[in-house]
Amino acid sequence: MGRCVIKSLPEMKLARSRVEKAKLIRGEKTVAPSLSSFAKGKKYLIKTFGCQGNVRDEETMAGLLELAGFTKTTVEKEADLVIINTCAVRENAEDKVYGEIGKFKANKKANKDFMLAVCGCMMQEEGVAQKLLASYPHITLIFGTHNVPDLLDLLAESVERHKTIVDIHSFAGDIIEDLPAKRNDPYKAFVNISYGCDKFCTYCIVPYTRGRERSRPLEDILKECKELIEAGYKEITLLGQNVNSYGKDFKDGTSFATVLEEVAKLGIARLRFMTSHPWDFSLEMIDIIAKYPNIMKCIHLPVQSGSTEMLRLMGRRYTREEYLALVKNIRERIPDVALTTDIIVGFPNETAEQFEDTLTLCEEVKYDAAFTFIYSPRKGTPAAAIADNVSDEDKHERFNRLLKVIESGVMSHSKTMVGKTYKVLVDGPSKKDETMLSGYTENSKLINFRGPSYLKGEIVDVKIIEDHAFSMIGELVEDPLIIKAKAFKENLLKDPLIKEFLSVSKAIDEDESLIALRKDIEAAQRDLASKVVDDEAHKIAKEKYASLMKEYEEHPLIHNYAALHDDVESLLKEITEGLK
Ligand code: SAH
Ligand code: SF4
Ligand code: F3S
C-alpha cells in the first residue's frame, strides 16, 4: 500500500478504555497555504448517515471546508471533494455506505483532482478502513470521529503528499471548542452538550465509536445558544447520547437541569433535547421541563424492551416497573407531555413472553412515536458474543406485530388532536407534496397544510382537520398576511440599527437636561413671539433662542440621532422595496 500513509488505526480495546481524562482544547483553526490554493474554485459535498451527532459533525466539517475556501454543492457530479459520514449502529446503516463509495468512482475518472473522504462511526470499527482501502482505490482520506477537528490538516497532507491518508484515533476523546460551523438549517439548530457515552449497553457500538462521556463547559453551550438566538434561530435541540448525565464529570453540582434552565432563560422560542436515558432522569429535570413554556413537552425516552430480564441482559440498569413509574411521574407533572421511544426487537434469545412484555408496555404507555429496530449484532460488543436461538423469521414477525401496536397508540393521540389548534414551526414545502407546507407542533407531530412559502421559519397557528398515523393535515388559522406583518415587525424590531435608533429616541425623550432645555426653548420661543420685530428686545430674544437651539443640536444624544437618521431611512426604503 505505497500510496497510503496510515497514521493510526482503531482498536476496540483502546476504545473501551476510559483511563485518559478528557482535555478541553480551545483555539481557532488555520488553513495550510497548500490547501487554500487547492480549494480555490472547488466544491464539496457531504453525505451523512446516522444520528444528529453525525449531522452536527457534518456542520463542523462544512464550516472547516468553507474556511479553507471550498464552496458547497448538492450536485454529486460537480463535487471535487466528497465526504461520506458513516454510522455503525446497525448493519443496514453500514450496507448503504459501500454503494455510496462505489458511486464516486466516476468522479475520480472525470476529475484527476477529485478527493473522496470517508469518516464517521463505521471507521472506528476494527478492520473497516483496511477493507475500504483494499476495495476502493479512489478513496483519498479515511478518518475517525475523534479526527473531525483535524480535517483541514489531513486534507492538506493528502494534497501535499499525493497520498491516501488514514488517521483514526481510538481514545476516550477530548472536547474541542472554537470550531467553525456551517449549519444546515436557518431556524432549527443542534447544540452538543456532551459527547460520547459510558453506559455500554451490551448491544451498542456507540461507546466504542464516540469515546467517553464528556460534558462541554456550560459557558460554551450558552455562548453558542446566544449566537443562534441572535441569528434568528427558533429552535435549539440540545444533543448528547445521554443528556441526563451532563455535568457528572464536573463534580460541581452542574447538571442537565442546570443546562435546560439556563438555555430556556435565554429566550429561544423552542427548546428540545435528546437523548434521555431512563436511568438518570431526575425529578429536578421533570420540574424544569414543566416550568418553562419554551421547553417543548416532548421527551424521547428509549425503553428498548418491556421485559426486565431483557433489560438486564441489555445492560440498561432499570426494570420495566421503574420505567413505568418514571412515565407515570412525568405524566403527572407534565400533563400534556408527548413520549417517544426506541425499541429493539429480537435481542439474542428473546422469548415469545419477553417480546409480549414489550407489546404490553407499548399498549400501556401509548407512545406518540417510536423508532423500532431489529437487533443487529455489532462486532466487539458483549451481546454479539451471545449465541442466538431466535430465527430471522420470528424477529420479522415480532417486528411487524410491534409496529401495529405502536401505530394504534400513535393514532389514539392523533385522534384527540383533530379540531384543535397547535403552534407549528414551518420547515418549508412538504417533502411529499410541494404545494403544501410542513412543520412540527410543540409535541413533535408532523403537520402538512396549505400556506404561502414565505411562512418558512415562522411559528403559526394551525388547526388539525385530518389525522393520519405519522403526519396530519391542518389549516392555517390566521390570515397569512397578518402572520407576515407580525414577523416583519418582529424582525424589524430586532435589527441592530433600528434597535439603536429607537433607544436613542427614547433616551432623548427621557434625558433630564434635554427635557429642561426643551422647556427653555419653548419659553424662548414664546418670548420671541411677544417682541416687536426689529426692536432691540427682539434681537436679544432671537439670540437667546438661537443659542438654546445650538446647545440642543450639539447635545451628544441629538447628534447621535441625526447620524443614525439617514441610515434608518435608507434601510426602511430597502426593506419596503424588497417587499414589493
Ligand atoms: N444514546 C441513545 C441512542 C443511540 S443509538 C440512547 O441510549 O437512547 C439509537 C438507537 O439505536 C438505540 O436507542 C437503540 O434502540 C438502537 N440500537 C443501538 N444499537 C443497536 C443494535 N445493535 N441493533 C439494533 N438497534 C440498535
Ligand atoms: Fe448506546 Fe446505551 Fe449509550 Fe445509548 S446509552 S448510546 S444505547 S450504550
Ligand atoms: Fe450512528 Fe455513530 Fe450516531 S453509530 S447513531 S452515527 S453515534
Side-chain angles (χ1 to χ4, degrees):
M1 287 195 195
R3 65 187 171 83
C4 290
V5 180
I6 300 194
K7 304 177 76 164
S8 63
L9 283 170
E11 276 176 61
M12 283 296 252
K13 232 200 324 215
L14 269 181
R16 200 178 298 131
S17 89
R18 291 289 186 263
V19 282
E20 303 149 68
K21 211 174 147 9
K23 287 195 286 291
L24 174 63
I25 300 171
R26 296 187 185 276
E28 274 161 27
K29 290 279 165 191
T30 51
V31 188
S34 60
L35 187 65
S36 39
S37 63
F38 178 84
K40 229 171 249 149
K42 292 205 167 63
K43 294 186 174 150
Y44 75 91
L45 183 151
I46 307 176
K47 290 207 133 186
T48 292
F49 298 87
C51 66
Q52 289 82 356
N54 259 16
V55 173
R56 191 63 195 83
D57 279 350
E58 169 183 333
E59 294 178 339
T60 302
M61 292 193 279
L64 286 166
L65 294 176
E66 300 206 356
L67 185 73
F70 290 96
T71 53
K72 185 179 173 157
T73 178
T74 49
V75 184
E76 290 183 2
K77 261 206 238 144
E78 65 174 42
D80 302 282
L81 164 64
V82 169
I83 300 182
I84 301 176
N85 189 11
T86 65
C87 168
V89 82
R90 284 169 294 276
E91 201 174 343
N92 57 5
E94 300 204 351
D95 292 342
K96 288 184 214 151
V97 166
Y98 294 104
E100 282 296 327
I101 298 175
K103 229 165 61 182
F104 289 101
K105 266 189 196 144
N107 288 51
K108 184 74 194 171
K109 255 194 199 149
N111 171 0
K112 72 168 181 30
D113 276 350
F114 177 72
M115 294 183 103
L116 178 61
V118 193
C119 65
C121 287
M122 214 174 132
M123 300 308 109
Q124 297 293 141
E125 293 177 274
E126 279 178 14
V128 170
Q130 292 92 320
K131 196 167 144 193
L132 291 182
L133 290 173
S135 327
Y136 303 95
H138 61 298
I139 294 177
T140 356
L141 173 63
I142 299 180
F143 59 103
T145 56
H146 300 297
N147 305 84
V148 167
D150 310 325
L151 173 63
L152 297 184
D153 296 336
L154 294 169
L155 282 173
E157 190 171 347
S158 173
V159 166
E160 284 164 20
R161 301 174 70 176
H162 299 286
K163 298 249 186 210
T164 294
I165 310 285
V166 180
D167 203 5
I168 308 161
H169 292 164
S170 275
F171 73 140
D174 291 328
I175 296 167
I176 323 271
E177 289 299 330
D178 307 322
L179 292 173
K182 168 86 176 33
R183 299 199 183 253
N184 288 336
D185 192 292
Y187 304 108
K188 302 207 276 193
F190 294 126
V191 172
N192 286 315
I193 65 161
S194 60
Y195 303 96
C197 181
D198 285 349
K199 291 281 182 287
F200 288 99
C201 302
T202 58
Y203 50 81
C204 185
I205 192 84
V206 173
Y208 308 85
T209 65
R210 290 276 169 180
R212 79 167 324 136
E213 201 163 77
R214 50 212 193 272
S215 310
R216 252 184 108 185
L218 182 59
E219 61 187 81
D220 292 305
I221 299 171
L222 295 178
K223 181 169 163 262
E224 187 174 339
C225 292
K226 263 189 218 146
E227 284 166 4
L228 289 165
I229 296 170
E230 272 159 27
Y233 275 80
K234 297 280 169 67
E235 182 175 300
I236 288 177
T237 303
L238 303 174
L239 286 186
Q241 287 300 339
N242 176 17
V243 288
N244 311 5
S245 309
Y246 178 86
K248 287 198 174 149
D249 38 352
F250 297 153
K251 300 188 175 66
D252 67 353
T254 315
S255 68
F256 180 55
T258 326
V259 185
L260 263 183
E261 179 154 37
E262 291 303 313
V263 178
K265 282 204 278 198
L266 295 178
I268 182 77
R270 289 181 165 200
L271 179 58
R272 300 186 188 274
F273 56 92
M274 70 185 311
T275 300
S276 280
H277 192 294
W279 187 53
D280 34 24
F281 206 109
S282 68
L283 286 184
E284 198 191 353
M285 271 168 61
I286 305 179
D287 290 339
I288 297 283
I289 299 167
K291 181 172 161 193
Y292 288 90
N294 58 345
I295 303 181
M296 298 298 98
K297 309 297 179 253
C298 184
I299 302 173
H300 186 57
L301 200 62
V303 65
Q304 313 298 359
S305 167
S307 144
T308 295
E309 178 56 11
M310 277 287 105
L311 290 169
R312 192 182 65 77
L313 293 170
M314 288 175 166
R316 291 292 288 180
R317 312 178 198 202
Y318 53 85
T319 63
R320 172 191 176 98
E321 290 68 32
E322 283 163 347
Y323 183 91
L324 288 172
L326 174 63
V327 167
K328 188 163 171 267
N329 219 329
I330 292 176
R331 288 222 156 111
E332 271 168 16
R333 286 165 193 247
I334 315 170
D336 286 332
V337 73
L339 292 175
T340 62
T341 201
D342 290 349
I343 297 168
I344 298 178
V345 174
F347 185 81
N349 309 320
E350 178 189 60
T351 65
E353 293 75 40
Q354 286 164 338
F355 172 67
E356 289 297 327
D357 287 344
T358 299
L359 291 184
T360 55
L361 181 130
C362 292
E363 277 160 358
E364 188 172 336
V365 178
K366 292 193 175 55
Y367 290 104
D368 284 84
F371 301 92
T372 46
F373 311 103
I374 291 183
Y375 168 73
S376 167
R378 304 285 71 209
K379 214 169 123 202
T381 61
I386 308 174
D388 188 3
N389 65 11
V390 192
S391 70
D392 282 353
E393 204 184 342
D394 279 347
K395 292 190 185 198
H396 280 98
E397 187 262 337
R398 288 177 193 176
F399 184 81
N400 292 334
R401 277 173 64 199
L402 176 64
L403 281 190
K404 287 210 180 84
V405 171
I406 296 288
E407 195 175 316
S408 92
V410 174
M411 288 298 278
S412 71
H413 293 289
S414 314
K415 272 201 192 85
T416 65
M417 290 177 71
V418 176
K420 293 190 190 137
T421 297
Y422 291 85
K423 296 231 168 287
V424 174
L425 170 55
V426 185
D427 282 335
S430 152
K431 285 196 184 102
K432 285 199 181 131
D433 177 355
E434 288 260 313
T435 65
M436 306 277 272
L437 291 177
S438 75
Y440 286 86
T441 59
E442 297 197 338
N443 58 359
S444 284
K445 289 280 179 191
L446 178 62
I447 315 289
N448 294 309
F449 58 99
R450 284 198 196 284
S453 60
Y454 57 70
L455 292 182
K456 183 172 159 61
E458 300 302 332
I459 295 175
V460 296
D461 285 334
V462 179
K463 187 172 165 186
I464 310 301
I465 49 177
E466 239 178 77
D467 64 327
H468 300 274
F470 298 102
S471 69
M472 276 176 259
I473 308 288
E475 62 188 13
L476 270 173
V477 171
E478 251 179 327
D479 180 340
L481 207 60
I482 298 207
I483 300 169
K484 191 182 180 189
K486 276 189 192 161
F488 179 68
K489 182 180 156 207
E490 216 178 273
N491 289 338
L492 198 62
L493 292 177
K494 262 195 249 149
D495 187 283
L497 184 65
I498 304 283
K499 258 185 169 160
E500 197 186 344
F501 188 62
L502 294 178
S503 94
V504 173
S505 140
K506 191 162 172 256
I508 289 174
D509 288 344
E510 291 168 359
D511 186 89
E512 302 274 334
S513 66
L514 283 177
I515 294 174
L517 208 47
R518 276 194 295 270
K519 273 193 192 138
D520 291 348
I521 291 173
E522 268 172 41
Q525 238 171 351
R526 275 196 303 272
D527 189 38
L528 182 62
S530 69
K531 301 287 183 297
V532 177
V533 181
D534 292 340
D535 254 13
E536 186 59 19
H538 181 265
K539 216 174 124 202
I540 295 169
K542 201 172 163 185
E543 269 164 22
K544 171 95 195 285
Y545 173 71
S547 110
L548 283 171
M549 277 307 286
K550 192 161 175 264
E551 195 184 331
Y552 190 79
E553 273 157 22
E554 280 173 1
H555 190 283
L557 278 172
I558 302 296
H559 233 270
N560 209 349
Y561 184 85
L564 289 168
H565 201 271
D566 286 353
D567 288 345
V568 171
E569 192 159 26
S570 49
L571 175 76
L572 290 179
K573 206 166 143 206
E574 218 174 88
I575 296 176
T576 357
E577 262 156 29
L579 276 179
K580 287 175 198 156

